[in-house]
């Protein structure tokens, strides 16, 4: 299995995040990628497919903002990383606001996803890694892995959040559609609901989104991921959310995965993309499921049993010393 990674993904390194009312060291740090690299062995850098595939799922104004936000923050006389502090609740109405603080609110949904001078470069190359893995499979490989960092599944067409800026799996899914793949399924097994991915494809019937995650009644991102969200318009029925309670172990996780895989089989996709987060691990510092390192191959085997071509895209996982081990354990099941 080929693993795709670009060293520029290491550059994005915010200093801190707002957590429960105080500032703490940033959980989504470059050491996560280093830990995975140590455990996984040789990776290859992705070719540069440009911005066009990114702009297929993200608004041009948002991408422009991402590229320039930190420079504008600095020009406003600020030090450190750019973070918003006020949000236009329910997008009150379209306004042409120039000030960086207004734009940060417009293009984000939380205060724990800072933009640094290096953010654009890292997220751009992470998206290229997802594209490389996708094209590897479109060219005939049965599976490929994209070591994307920062992660992507919380980012929507025009917003960042949850440590995510570009939605790597969404870019990959759309690239597959554009290459002629008719039906694409996305299985999201990060601990957190993939709100950005859901939003991007919510009204589409050509891309199925199925997610197993911590119940948003108790866990971030709260406002999405409830079981009654099933898609809208043409996409009605092409979204499936399977929320699980805190404390979930493999025994409770497996029936949800069975349901997810049956839904995917019924959809009849030509390609399956997996948003994989290792934050379902029992020792994850910000999450509350109880999966063990040795549980992950069973998940991979059930996914592989679909017989579908697979692209695995890295999402979260914050127990840094165990992260590489957990990802290697998951991939070993394929
Ligand atoms: N620190 C992913 O796993 N939590 N993102 C912020 C207080 C955000 C996790 C709240 C968790 C986002 C990709
Ligand atoms: Zn997560």
């Amino acid at each position: 299995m080929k693993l795709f990674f670009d060293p520029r993904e290491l550059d994005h390194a915010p200093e801190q995040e707002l957590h429960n009312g105080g500032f703490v060291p940033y959980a989504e740090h470059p050491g996560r990628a280093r830990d995975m690299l140590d455990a996984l062995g040789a990776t290859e850098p992705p070719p540069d497919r440009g911005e066009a595939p990114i702009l297929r799922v993200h608004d041009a104004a948002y991408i422009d903002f991402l590229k320039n936000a930190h420079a504008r923050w600095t020009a406003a006389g600020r030090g450190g990383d750019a973070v918003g502090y006020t949000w236009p609740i329910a997008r009150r109405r379209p306004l042409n606001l120039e000030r960086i603080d207004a734009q940060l609110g417009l293009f984000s949904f939380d205060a724990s996803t800072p933009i640094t001078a290096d953010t654009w470069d890292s997220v751009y190359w992470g998206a290229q890694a997802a594209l490389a893995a996708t094209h590897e499979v479109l060219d005939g490989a049965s599976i490929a892995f994209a070591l994307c960092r920062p992660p992507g599944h919380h980012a929507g067409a025009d917003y960042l959040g949850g440590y995510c800026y570009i939605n790597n799996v969404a870019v990959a899914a759309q690239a597959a559609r554009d290459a002629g793949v008719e039906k694409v399924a996305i299985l999201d097994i990060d601990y957190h609901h993939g709100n950005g991915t859901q939003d991007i494809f919510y009204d589409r019937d050509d891309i199925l989104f199925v997610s197993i995650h911590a119940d948003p009644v108790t866990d971030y991102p709260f406002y999405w991921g409830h079981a009654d969200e099933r898609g809208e318009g043409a996409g009605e029925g092409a979204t499936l959310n399977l929320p699980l309670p805190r404390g979930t172990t493999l025994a409770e996780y497996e029936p949800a995965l069975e349901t997810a895989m049956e839904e995917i089989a019924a959809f009849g996709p030509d390609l399956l993309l997996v948003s994989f987060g290792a934050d379902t691990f029992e020792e994850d510092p910000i999450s509350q499921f109880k999966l063990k390192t040795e549980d992950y191959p069973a998940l991979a085997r059930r996914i592989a049993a679909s017989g579908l071509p697979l692209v695995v895209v890295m999402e979260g996982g914050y127990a840094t010393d165990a992260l590489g081990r957990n990802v290697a354990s998951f991939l070993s099941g394929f």
Side-chain angles (χ1 to χ4, degrees):
M1 181 190 321
K2 282 194 183 173
L3 317 176
F4 292 94
F5 172 77
D6 190 289
R8 282 164 280 197
E9 296 178 47
L10 294 164
D11 295 345
H12 166 76
E15 285 164 30
Q16 54 185 10
E17 65 181 291
L18 188 57
H19 175 71
N20 297 348
F23 284 95
V24 299
Y26 200 59
E28 201 291 291
H29 55 79
R32 295 179 61 247
R34 282 192 214 101
D35 197 65
M36 288 187 266
L37 291 170
D38 287 348
L40 296 174
T43 60
E44 48 187 283
D48 187 355
R49 290 185 161 84
E51 281 178 29
I54 296 170
L55 290 165
R56 292 285 290 137
V57 300
H58 289 287
D59 289 1
Y62 170 66
I63 293 303
D64 200 48
F65 157 79
L66 261 191
K67 283 195 246 178
N68 299 315
H70 193 266
R72 295 177 56 206
W73 176 263
T74 305
R78 315 282 173 67
D81 306 331
V83 193
Y85 62 78
T86 183
W87 283 266
I89 298 305
R91 288 191 180 74
R92 292 178 58 86
R93 64 192 176 94
L95 293 165
N96 257 324
L97 300 176
E98 286 300 314
R99 194 165 142 181
I100 182 61
D101 307 282
Q103 296 237 321
L104 283 162
L106 192 61
F107 292 120
S108 67
F109 76 93
D110 74 13
S112 22
T113 313
I115 301 173
T116 74
D118 298 311
T119 298
W120 171 253
D121 232 27
S122 289
V123 301
Y124 177 87
W125 287 102
Q128 298 301 331
L131 286 164
T134 304
H135 283 279
E136 171 74 7
V137 171
L138 294 179
D139 290 346
S142 58
I143 184 168
F145 176 69
L147 203 175
C148 296
R149 191 251 151 207
H153 74 151
H154 294 300
D158 65 350
Y159 63 80
L160 60 84
Y163 315 146
C164 301
Y165 307 81
I166 289 181
N167 194 313
N168 303 304
V169 81
V171 170
Q174 185 61 48
R177 287 285 296 114
D178 291 342
V181 178
E182 285 196 14
K183 290 166 92 176
V184 177
I186 300 172
L187 172 66
D188 189 323
I189 55 171
D190 185 276
Y191 176 81
H192 306 93
H193 179 251
N195 59 284
T197 315
Q198 172 172 303
D199 270 357
I200 289 169
F201 299 124
Y202 205 57
D203 62 358
R204 298 211 358 211
D205 62 1
D206 55 335
I207 298 181
L208 173 72
F209 177 70
V210 179
S211 180
I212 304 170
H213 50 269
D215 192 337
V217 169
T218 55
D219 279 76
Y220 184 95
F222 307 116
Y223 314 109
W224 301 260
H226 303 267
D228 63 347
E229 296 162 23
R230 295 299 320 262
E232 68 185 13
E236 182 85 49
T239 291
L240 179 65
N241 285 308
L242 302 167
L244 294 173
R246 289 183 167 203
T248 288
T249 65
L250 182 66
E252 293 101 34
Y253 198 93
E254 281 187 314
L257 183 59
E258 188 57 36
T259 302
M261 295 312 298
E262 285 168 13
E263 181 85 1
I264 290 165
F267 180 71
D270 310 293
L271 174 69
L272 176 57
L273 308 182
V274 180
S275 266
F276 176 63
D279 42 10
T280 48
F281 180 53
E282 57 182 347
E283 288 166 39
D284 194 88
I286 66 167
S287 311
Q288 314 294 331
F289 281 177
K290 296 287 171 222
L291 297 193
K292 299 174 183 301
T293 302
E294 59 270 27
D295 291 341
Y296 287 107
L299 307 188
R301 283 194 297 268
R302 181 61 190 89
I303 295 165
S306 69
L308 291 165
L310 294 167
V311 178
V312 180
V313 176
M314 194 63 208
E315 301 286 357
Y318 308 97
T320 306
D321 292 346
L323 180 57
R325 263 202 311 284
N326 288 334
V327 176
S329 175
F330 181 65
L331 295 181
S332 76
F334 294 104

